[in-house]
Amino acid sequence: MNILSGVVVGLIAGFLAGQVVRGGGYGLIGDIIVGILGGWVGGWIGSRFLNIDGGVSGINLESILIAFAGAVLLILVLRMIGGRRNVRDNRV
């Protein structure tokens, strides 16, 4: 997968994962980063445990779904580790 297709798939998958899990996106750069990392996570899980060869292999529906699933999993794991911070709770 070349860099441009990775960015496009990452943007789509990160945006969708941000909408589903968080209720809103993380901004353009945040969505791309979450989607690209989600593509790596989803591709690794798919090849390791589900015998899906190729993982994220370009701009196609399978790649977007794999990256989306990985991005959702990544967001959920990061939320469990870091917890949810609420700015209103930190009033002085």
Side-chain angles (χ1 to χ4, degrees):
M1 175 169 64
N2 64 26
I3 294 173
L4 181 60
S5 64
V7 170
V8 170
V9 169
L11 177 61
I12 294 169
F15 173 77
L16 292 174
Q19 295 296 318
V20 169
V21 177
R22 185 172 177 251
Y26 292 99
L28 181 65
I29 302 299
D31 284 346
I32 291 172
I33 292 171
V34 166
I36 290 173
L37 292 176
W40 288 344
V41 169
W44 181 78
I45 290 173
S47 66
R48 182 85 172 167
F49 300 109
L50 303 175
N51 293 326
I52 298 174
D53 291 332
V56 178
S57 59
I59 303 173
N60 54 43
L61 184 59
E62 181 183 359
S63 296
I64 292 171
L65 290 175
I66 289 172
F68 169 73
V72 167
L73 183 64
L74 177 69
I75 291 170
L76 291 175
V77 168
L78 290 176
R79 187 177 290 171
M80 285 178 10
I81 292 171
R84 187 173 269 240
R85 294 188 180 117
N86 193 347
V87 176
R88 287 182 249 168
D89 291 342
N90 293 330
R91 285 188 259 182
V92 176

